[in-house]
Amino acid sequence: VDLYNYKLTIAYDGTHYHGWQIQPNGVSIQEVIEKALKTIFQKEIRIMGSGRTDAGVHAHGQVAHFKIDQDIDLKRVLGSLNGLLPKDIRILKIEKVESDFHAQYSAQGKIYHYHLCFARVQSPFTRCYALHVKEKIDLEKMAEAAKLFLGVHDFYAFANEAHTGCAAYDSVRHLQRLDIVPEEGGVRLEFEADGFLYKMVRNIVGTLLEIATGKKEIDDIPKIFASRDRRLAGKAAAPQGLFLIQVKY
Amino acid sequence: VDLYNYKLTIAYDGTHYHGWQIQPNGVSIQEVIEKALKTIFQKEIRIMGSGRTDAGVHAHGQVAHFKIDQDIDLKRVLGSLNGLLPKDIRILKIEKVESDFHAQYSAQGKIYHYHLCFARVQSPFTRCYALHVKEKIDLEKMAEAAKLFLGVHDFYAFANEAHTGCAAYDSVRHLQRLDIVPEEGGVRLEFEADGFLYKMVRNIVGTLLEIATGKKEIDDIPKIFASRDRRLAGKAAAPQGLFLIQVKY
């Protein structure tokens, strides 16, 4: 039988989930969407995301695809899915795509944002959507340090991954943009790259925070890159500040 | 003994509370703050808010006052309170005020905002902070209708209050401003008045929505005012779109 291929664009508030990917200890976003698809199509449907996001991480534009032997009514399925899903997970778009489209392997790049709050008292409305930094921050130093991450680098030291031990593991990525944009109560760090290693954004933000608070020096960055040693980079910044904004194809 | 009088400016996400005011069936914001004050001062302290907000209603600038026989260290108490309180309730400011300052009776006016989302699919991030309106809205008609609420009126028909039956009940208020401001995915209705009756904002928003969706006519508004009959006004709009922004003194 011919299989039709569908692309989902998904927004979610990750606060109450154990991340994107199905796993034994908690409810994942993938699992909740697959359950809704099963209710609609009366059979198991596996969706493939562009990549996992951790517990507490949010998305404005996660992408996933799934195959099915039916030419579906896009508008009707969009409505049914959003009717079945909890309101903290929304399908923004559903499109029919070529059979070789793959949410992960076809991706050409991604954009992530990370929100930092510098207010003395954090607004109750950003408590799940920004990291509250209470220490004094040197923003100029942070901006200068951010420049050293731009370009093509081996980001091995900034990745937490089970398979970093494999000979075939490729940890070279092209970070095309890292902008620090002022916003109410703090700043937003905008990352754009051809791809990201696991926890790479949070590890870079953690390192930038250690530099901006005087715990590390700007000169440490080239040394951390060269070391390929995860222990030398900063502690991963908390998940709630991180948003997957867009996956580019 | 001399009593010192303190003014609190408070922000809260009302999603998980049964409103501001202490009541038997659920946890209120007032009760959570009084419990934190009791922990700090080791005695019962009653706080008086500028007015109640309902379950699900939020505040950027609720005000309350309390009296105590101590000249307290403001900075230390602010830190202790926010340390004890859950992150969805934040004390933004604590100030020493004149002994005759009263959060409710000294108030000269208030500002409320109400958020409406018109997007086909509501963002998961506004699900608790805006009312999702799925019907087609005539915004020009809404703007025209909004003008009829401006000025000094007897808002009796737009109030839900236990004591509306009292002879002494004064339901005349001066609505100084009702602006419809575009924002991402919808609009924000900004209300400013010398005071608001119970559920007045939500009842006006409900009435405006019925007009904007063709269920009521603009000409109905003067009739509803004149009737002093709550049943003629629109259904109260849902609480989650409402924010108490500022209390003016």
Side-chain angles (χ1 to χ4, degrees):
Chain A
V1 290
D2 260 13
L3 286 180
Y4 296 89
N5 195 12
Y6 295 97
K7 177 188 176 192
L8 300 171
T9 305
I10 308 154
Y12 48 81
D13 180 332
T15 306
H16 303 298
Y17 296 94
H18 279 66
W20 167 264
Q21 194 167 267
I22 289 178
Q23 49 121 313
N25 331 317
V27 177
S28 69
I29 293 142
Q30 183 187 354
E31 156 186 2
V32 172
I33 297 172
E34 289 184 355
K35 203 175 139 196
L37 286 168
K38 188 180 176 182
T39 302
I40 294 173
F41 296 112
Q42 295 294 308
K43 61 179 157 193
E44 301 283 350
I45 290 167
R46 182 52 43 108
I47 63 173
M48 169 63 67
S50 74
R52 51 186 157 171
T53 57
D54 285 323
V57 174
H58 314 291
H60 278 286
Q62 171 67 294
V63 172
H65 77 274
F66 68 94
K67 298 196 172 191
I68 190 170
D69 57 356
Q70 293 174 37
D71 192 2
I72 66 178
D73 179 338
L74 298 175
K75 213 179 153 182
R76 196 187 61 81
V77 171
L78 182 76
S80 305
L81 271 172
N82 284 323
L84 289 165
L85 288 167
K87 287 194 171 176
D88 52 5
I89 303 177
R90 295 286 90 184
I91 308 299
L92 302 179
K93 227 182 336 185
I94 173 165
E95 300 161 274
K96 193 195 267 191
V97 286
E98 295 297 313
S99 66
D100 61 351
F101 173 85
H102 189 287
Q104 185 181 351
Y105 304 133
S106 306
Q108 299 292 311
K110 280 186 181 172
I111 297 175
Y112 279 99
H113 289 177
Y114 195 98
H115 297 264
L116 296 172
C117 167
F118 302 139
R120 195 163 69 124
V121 179
Q122 182 172 28
S123 161
F125 304 103
T126 66
R127 72 192 190 283
C128 300
Y129 311 112
L131 174 64
H132 188 207
V133 181
K134 291 171 193 169
E135 295 152 281
K136 207 176 144 40
I137 287 282
D138 184 337
L139 262 183
E140 277 181 40
K141 220 168 155 188
M142 183 185 272
E144 209 186 317
K147 284 183 204 155
L148 297 183
F149 288 95
L150 288 173
V152 177
H153 295 279
D154 179 351
F155 284 93
Y156 194 99
F158 296 94
N160 294 32
E161 222 145 359
H163 46 286
T164 40
C166 304
Y169 180 70
D170 174 17
S171 49
V172 175
R173 292 292 183 279
H174 182 192
L175 185 63
Q176 295 135 346
R177 196 163 64 82
L178 202 180
D179 292 335
I180 302 177
V181 182
E183 61 179 12
E184 207 192 321
V187 296
R188 174 175 75 242
L189 280 70
E190 301 190 352
F191 291 80
E192 183 168 353
D194 55 355
F196 289 87
L197 307 174
Y198 184 48
K199 288 209 179 162
M200 180 171 141
V201 174
R202 289 168 57 195
N203 287 333
I204 294 176
V205 172
T207 305
L208 289 174
L209 282 172
E210 293 193 7
I211 290 167
T213 52
K215 293 187 199 77
K216 274 196 170 50
E217 294 305 318
I218 293 176
D219 291 345
D220 292 335
I221 298 175
K223 292 176 202 161
I224 301 170
F225 270 121
S227 75
R228 301 184 92 239
D229 184 347
R230 171 70 195 89
R231 295 165 301 177
L232 298 188
K235 196 170 151 277
Q240 80 270 13
L242 186 61
F243 287 72
L244 171 55
I245 301 297
Q246 196 191 341
V247 186
K248 295 187 162 188
Y249 293 97
Chain B
V1 288
D2 260 12
L3 285 180
Y4 295 88
N5 196 11
Y6 296 97
K7 176 188 176 194
L8 300 172
T9 305
I10 308 156
Y12 48 82
D13 180 333
T15 307
H16 303 298
Y17 296 95
H18 279 65
W20 167 264
Q21 194 167 267
I22 289 179
Q23 48 122 312
N25 331 316
V27 178
S28 69
I29 293 142
Q30 182 187 356
E31 154 185 5
V32 172
I33 297 172
E34 289 183 356
K35 205 176 136 196
L37 286 168
K38 188 181 176 183
T39 302
I40 294 173
F41 296 113
Q42 295 294 311
K43 61 179 157 193
E44 300 284 348
I45 290 167
R46 182 53 42 109
I47 63 173
M48 170 62 70
S50 74
R52 52 185 156 170
T53 57
D54 285 323
V57 174
H58 315 290
H60 278 287
Q62 170 69 293
V63 172
H65 78 273
F66 68 93
K67 297 196 172 192
I68 190 170
D69 57 357
Q70 294 174 37
D71 193 2
I72 66 178
D73 178 337
L74 298 176
K75 213 179 153 182
R76 196 188 60 81
V77 171
L78 181 75
S80 304
L81 271 172
N82 284 324
L84 289 164
L85 289 167
K87 288 195 170 176
D88 51 5
I89 302 178
R90 296 286 89 186
I91 308 298
L92 302 179
K93 227 183 334 187
I94 174 164
E95 299 161 275
K96 193 193 265 191
V97 286
E98 294 298 313
S99 66
D100 61 352
F101 173 85
H102 190 287
Q104 186 181 351
Y105 303 133
S106 308
Q108 299 293 310
K110 280 184 183 174
I111 297 175
Y112 279 99
H113 289 176
Y114 195 97
H115 297 264
L116 296 172
C117 166
F118 301 139
R120 194 162 70 122
V121 178
Q122 182 173 27
S123 161
F125 303 104
T126 67
R127 72 192 190 283
C128 300
Y129 311 113
L131 173 64
H132 189 204
V133 181
K134 291 170 192 168
E135 294 150 281
K136 208 177 145 38
I137 287 282
D138 184 336
L139 263 182
E140 277 179 41
K141 220 168 155 186
M142 183 184 272
E144 211 186 314
K147 285 183 204 153
L148 298 183
F149 288 94
L150 288 174
V152 178
H153 296 278
D154 179 350
F155 284 93
Y156 193 98
F158 296 94
N160 294 34
E161 222 147 358
H163 47 283
T164 40
C166 305
Y169 179 70
D170 174 16
S171 49
V172 175
R173 293 292 183 279
H174 181 191
L175 185 63
Q176 295 135 345
R177 196 162 64 81
L178 202 180
D179 292 335
I180 302 177
V181 182
E183 61 180 13
E184 206 193 321
V187 297
R188 173 175 74 241
L189 281 70
E190 302 190 351
F191 292 80
E192 183 166 355
D194 55 355
F196 289 87
L197 307 174
Y198 185 48
K199 287 209 180 163
M200 180 171 142
V201 175
R202 290 167 56 194
N203 286 333
I204 294 176
V205 173
T207 305
L208 288 174
L209 282 172
E210 293 192 7
I211 289 167
T213 53
K215 293 185 199 79
K216 275 196 170 51
E217 292 306 317
I218 292 176
D219 291 345
D220 292 335
I221 297 175
K223 294 177 201 161
I224 301 170
F225 271 122
S227 74
R228 300 183 92 239
D229 184 347
R230 171 67 194 92
R231 294 165 302 177
L232 298 188
K235 198 171 149 279
Q240 80 271 12
L242 186 61
F243 287 72
L244 171 55
I245 301 296
Q246 196 190 339
V247 186
K248 294 187 164 189
Y249 294 96

